[in-house]
Amino acid sequence: MAQYTARRFFYLLIVLLMVSAITFFIMHQIPGGPFTREKKLHPTVLKNLNAKYNLDDPLYKQYTDYLIDLFVPEITTGKHSGDVTEDFLVNIDLPFGDNAALRWINFGPSFNSRTLSVNDIIEQHLPISAQLGLGALLVSMGIGIPLGTIAALRKNTVYDYFSMSTAILGVSVPVIVLGPVLKYVVAVELDLLPSSGWGSWQQAIMPAFALGFAQSALLARLTRASLLQVLNEDYIRTAKAKGLRERRVVLVHAMKNAMIPIATVLGPLFAALITGTFVTETVFGIPGLGRYFVTSITNRDYAVIMGTTLLFAFFIVLSNFVVDLTYAWLDPRIRYD
Amino acid sequence: MSASEVVETQPAPASQVVSLRTVEKTRSPWMDAWRRLRRNRAALIGFVVISLNVLAAIFAPQIAPHSYTDQNYTALNSAPSWIIDLFPKMKPLGAEGGYVRVNDDYILGTDNLGRDLLTRIIYGARVSLSVAFIGPLVSLLVGTMFGMIAGYVGGRVDNIMMRIVDIMYAFPTLLLVILMMVFFRSSLNQSDPGTLAFRLNEIDSRTGGMIFIFIGIGLTSWMDTARLARGQVLSVRQKEYIEAANSIGADTPSIIFRHVLPNILGPIVVAESLAIPRYISFEAFLSFIGLGVNPPTPSWGSLIAEGSNAIISYPNQAIFPALALFFVMFAFNFLGDGLRDALDPRSSKEV
């Protein structure tokens, strides 16, 4: 198991490395740079800017420099300069020397801002996307799991058809449809919730629902299939035979086992929800990370492109890593070599 | 099915009369699936909705009441009276605080450039339906080839190919597509005449930007199919009929295409048909963020994007394209679901 974990972890790093390399090279292939403007900059200014951000170096050197800045921890002494190029995500004070500290993970400065580093952008906007993603996850679980359970317990009845039709409805309304319609009906016509912005729980309800509803369909189908399978097991018959109440059989004996496949998709689902918030953020005016993710590409803000891609790729790979480990842990028969 | 039909489609020598009788009784699995699909009412409704949309897309110039580029400056953001009645917050000019121009010439109203919304929605069906049919085709072609090779060859090749799939999975799909779209749009239109890139760009601008959408979808959606195809190949490869084909000396391509492919196609077709709504919403998303079709070509995604900017004042501009998108996705989901039940007898209720 330890060896398996180590191997999967090593593999995770390789995948991230490949993702970063591919993104880096495609990104630099796109014509235009971070300082291309409608009104051309003075050649000297452009030259100085390119020199400042080392954009004149050969690509492979820029890439390795980037990786070194990002992954190799630094030990610094003296007062922290506070410069945007020296902004680290992890700062651990060390007990010796003059203000010595171990600093790690520097995504570099944003090309579009003189005062913001990519770390600043992540620190300010990732929590918002994460809250939105978490809210959406709760919505999808809150709708999907009960629907799937009802459908499985009342298989081939009206309840089942209703639940599964709702599930089909769910996958048919992407955020781009549900967002504007919800916004008009609930915020404008009924005037129940604020139409946009972020900060209060009222403002979070609609976006979380719009984002999570489609995924609830997936959870409903999964819950139904998983529970139906479990309900055919011998131990369920045993539990019923010894006279346990239906409710107890379902909630304690069946659900516990039926939840295993669902628990394993929650991680990737959460990763997908966080990384897919762009439309929701646009429709509801939420200052999340998704917006940076998209605008950085059109602005050729290389540092932000790399930072957000790596961060999102990290979430995706990490959630898959956790799933793999959970599977290996839950089912000893699974052996991956 | 009558006996004469069977004789026509499956000619058998006169000496095999006995086996002909068994042919008469059993139907091919695909015929069986078709029979089950026809009985599924929801799938049929989906099929009808899609057919109507296909017709609307093909005959858009005949059906559409206006031209999708014509701008009427006397009817910017106008709405007909029935829409004003439908949305109580839309107040017509003349009323207290009214701002909407009333113009009954346009059934669903006009956008902020005075273009007919209904016409643009009808033309938008062209983009969505092209994606619905070509998207799965691209994914099927690339994914199945990739997965079949990996699964059939096996060993180190399989390992490397599947690691490529893993890396593709780790990419945030949106980012990869946006990156690709920006790359295509800005680098290929600077290419020299005569090169492949130049021709691609020419076709793309002639189709209103659809070619690059297909390529973008193709690049990001083949992995699921590849994994599925590989898994199917692995399970089929051990079967006796493959062994039999091998033992009579069939070469690898003929085994793959004549024996493996037909037997793994069912689940892949089901998976692809269930993925169609995803392709449609994908295109809508791309157009929503301005990387899809080129204006003025209308797409439901770009219509929703334009409309949702003004949703508080002119809800009709976003809600009707959103409804169009919803109905088509709903129809494809119903049909895909029906197709799955039809092709996978284990999940069907009547046996």
Side-chain angles (χ1 to χ4, degrees):
Chain A
M1 186 72 199
Q3 200 197 349
Y4 176 69
T5 311
R7 203 173 53 223
R8 294 302 296 186
F9 187 73
F10 175 70
Y11 175 59
L12 179 155
L13 292 181
I14 298 283
V15 168
L16 282 182
L17 199 69
M18 293 300 292
V19 168
S20 71
I22 295 171
T23 313
F24 195 89
F25 289 103
I26 297 182
M27 159 180 106
H28 278 277
Q29 286 311 307
I30 301 175
F35 309 115
T36 312
R37 299 277 186 280
E38 290 271 304
K39 189 165 167 260
K40 282 216 170 81
L41 291 174
H42 191 275
T44 324
V45 177
L46 194 62
K47 205 172 144 226
N48 288 339
L49 277 171
N50 280 344
K52 185 187 169 198
Y53 292 102
N54 300 321
L55 288 175
D56 297 324
D57 288 347
L59 267 190
Y60 73 89
K61 188 171 181 303
Q62 287 186 44
Y63 178 62
T64 44
D65 284 349
Y66 178 79
L67 283 189
I68 290 169
D69 280 346
L70 181 60
F71 282 124
V72 179
E74 275 179 45
I75 292 178
T76 57
T77 51
K79 197 162 161 35
H80 190 49
S81 68
D83 193 80
V84 279
T85 54
E86 294 295 322
D87 185 15
F88 293 87
L89 212 57
V90 180
N91 296 289
I92 301 165
D93 287 331
L94 297 175
F96 54 83
D98 167 33
N99 269 336
L102 180 78
R103 300 182 193 282
W104 190 39
I105 303 197
N106 177 8
F107 279 113
S110 163
F111 286 59
N112 276 11
S113 157
R114 218 180 293 172
T115 51
L116 279 181
S117 71
V118 180
N119 278 339
D120 289 331
I121 293 175
I122 291 175
E123 279 165 10
Q124 283 168 26
H125 301 282
L126 178 64
I128 297 175
S129 292
Q131 284 164 14
L132 179 57
L134 197 67
L137 187 70
L138 291 179
V139 167
S140 60
M141 284 168 68
I143 299 176
I145 294 178
L147 271 185
T149 310
I150 293 169
L153 292 180
R154 304 267 178 275
K155 196 189 167 204
N156 291 344
T157 64
V158 165
Y159 298 101
D160 184 13
Y161 299 141
F162 172 76
S163 302
M164 288 302 106
S165 306
T166 315
I168 296 185
L169 183 79
V171 284
S172 307
V173 282
V175 182
I176 166 175
V177 168
L178 192 55
V181 172
L182 210 60
K183 184 173 168 178
Y184 179 73
V185 174
V186 178
V188 180
E189 204 59 64
L190 302 175
D191 204 11
L192 290 176
L193 293 167
S195 66
S196 62
W198 191 256
S200 65
W201 62 268
Q202 288 99 328
Q203 284 169 323
I205 294 178
M206 272 199 296
F209 186 80
L211 187 59
F213 188 57
Q215 307 298 332
S216 73
L218 181 125
L219 283 184
R221 284 178 170 171
L222 196 63
T223 309
R224 180 178 182 271
S226 168
L227 195 58
L228 277 179
Q229 202 177 7
V230 170
L231 286 175
N232 280 329
E233 298 282 343
D234 289 341
Y235 58 82
I236 296 298
R237 195 161 0 109
T238 311
K240 279 184 183 161
K242 72 177 183 183
L244 287 183
R245 283 209 194 122
E246 180 78 24
R247 176 192 291 259
R248 194 173 158 75
V249 173
V250 170
L251 288 183
V252 179
H253 294 247
M255 279 307 258
K256 215 158 139 192
N257 287 297
M259 281 298 117
I260 293 173
I262 294 153
T264 55
V265 300
L266 290 184
L269 191 61
F270 183 51
L273 286 173
I274 293 192
T275 55
T277 54
F278 176 74
V279 175
T280 323
E281 286 172 14
T282 312
V283 172
F284 293 103
I286 299 168
L289 198 57
R291 197 158 49 97
Y292 280 91
F293 190 47
V294 176
T295 51
S296 68
I297 299 178
T298 37
N299 291 338
R300 315 281 191 277
D301 193 338
Y302 294 144
V304 180
I305 298 179
M306 289 302 289
T308 43
T309 310
L310 273 180
L311 190 74
F312 285 158
F314 177 70
F315 285 140
I316 295 172
V317 183
L318 187 73
S319 64
N320 288 330
F321 174 68
V322 173
V323 169
D324 282 348
L325 290 193
T326 339
Y327 265 129
W329 177 62
L330 285 174
D331 191 346
R333 283 170 303 178
I334 296 177
R335 280 281 162 269
Y336 303 92
D337 316 283
Chain B
M1 182 189 284
S2 69
S4 62
E5 268 179 61
V6 174
V7 175
E8 269 170 29
T9 52
Q10 308 227 342
S15 61
Q16 292 182 3
V17 182
V18 183
S19 73
L20 182 67
R21 263 197 206 125
T22 46
V23 168
E24 201 179 335
K25 271 179 202 155
T26 55
R27 303 183 194 86
S28 83
W30 292 97
M31 281 300 293
D32 235 18
W34 170 236
R35 190 178 52 89
R36 274 196 294 267
L37 186 66
R38 265 187 323 190
R39 277 208 211 139
N40 187 332
R41 206 167 294 153
L44 269 190
I45 293 174
F47 184 74
V48 169
V49 171
I50 294 164
S51 309
L52 288 178
N53 263 283
V54 171
L55 288 178
I58 294 172
F59 297 108
Q62 282 77 35
I63 304 170
H66 298 269
S67 146
Y68 69 84
T69 47
D70 273 359
Q71 303 179 8
N72 182 349
Y73 292 108
T74 59
L76 304 182
N77 286 323
S78 74
S81 30
W82 74 271
I83 282 183
I84 288 169
D85 295 339
L86 187 69
F87 300 104
K89 292 270 164 81
M90 282 177 92
K91 297 218 173 62
L93 270 179
E96 169 107 18
Y99 57 90
V100 185
R101 288 168 214 263
V102 183
N103 190 327
D104 285 325
D105 288 347
Y106 302 98
I107 301 171
L108 296 180
T110 54
D111 66 3
N112 60 346
L113 295 173
R115 296 176 296 195
D116 180 36
L117 197 61
L118 177 64
T119 303
R120 292 180 66 76
I121 291 176
I122 292 174
Y123 274 93
R126 290 187 157 185
V127 178
S128 285
L129 288 170
S130 312
V131 170
F133 291 109
I134 295 178
L137 221 59
V138 175
S139 159
L140 195 79
L141 221 65
V142 180
T144 312
M145 288 305 287
F146 197 92
M148 276 205 309
I149 293 171
Y152 196 81
V153 178
R156 174 161 288 184
V157 176
D158 178 31
N159 212 352
I160 293 173
M161 289 175 90
M162 283 301 113
R163 292 300 82 84
I164 295 175
V165 171
D166 285 346
I167 291 169
M168 293 292 290
Y169 261 112
F171 260 106
T173 320
L174 287 185
L175 175 112
L176 187 65
V177 162
I178 297 169
L179 213 56
M180 281 295 174
M181 297 305 279
V182 174
F183 174 70
F184 290 142
R185 294 246 189 273
S186 51
S187 74
L188 296 191
N189 64 17
Q190 295 173 0
S191 50
D192 303 323
T195 57
L196 177 70
F198 182 81
R199 275 198 210 119
L200 265 182
N201 196 58
E202 211 177 45
I203 303 172
D204 185 63
S205 49
R206 221 176 277 158
T207 52
M210 281 203 274
I211 294 298
F212 289 147
I213 295 177
F214 297 147
I215 297 178
I217 288 178
L219 279 173
T220 47
S221 64
W222 55 274
M223 294 92 75
D224 283 328
T225 321
R227 276 196 177 171
L228 184 64
R230 174 179 173 270
Q232 292 288 319
V233 169
L234 287 183
S235 74
V236 163
R237 205 173 54 169
Q238 311 296 335
K239 294 271 165 68
E240 288 83 359
Y241 56 82
I242 302 294
E243 207 178 316
N246 252 322
S247 66
I248 60 167
D251 56 343
T252 310
S254 95
I255 291 182
I256 288 187
F257 287 106
R258 296 198 46 198
H259 301 284
V260 177
L261 187 60
N263 286 297
I264 65 170
L265 213 51
I268 296 177
V269 167
V270 170
E272 280 304 335
S273 65
L274 285 172
I276 288 179
R278 220 177 52 218
Y279 301 134
I280 297 179
S281 75
F282 205 81
E283 180 279 321
F285 168 79
L286 280 178
S287 297
F288 184 89
I289 63 176
L291 288 172
V293 294
N294 304 329
T297 311
S299 143
W300 292 338
S302 56
L303 291 177
I304 295 172
E306 287 159 21
S308 56
N309 288 335
I311 189 145
I312 294 177
S313 317
Y314 307 106
N316 59 323
Q317 293 180 14
I319 283 179
F320 289 110
L323 281 179
L325 184 59
F326 163 70
F327 276 122
V328 165
M329 284 186 63
F330 205 50
F332 273 109
N333 271 319
F334 265 149
L335 188 63
D337 236 41
L339 213 57
R340 183 187 52 195
D341 288 345
L343 285 176
D344 183 6
R346 272 172 304 167
S347 74
S348 74
K349 291 131 207 159
E350 91 270 354
V351 176

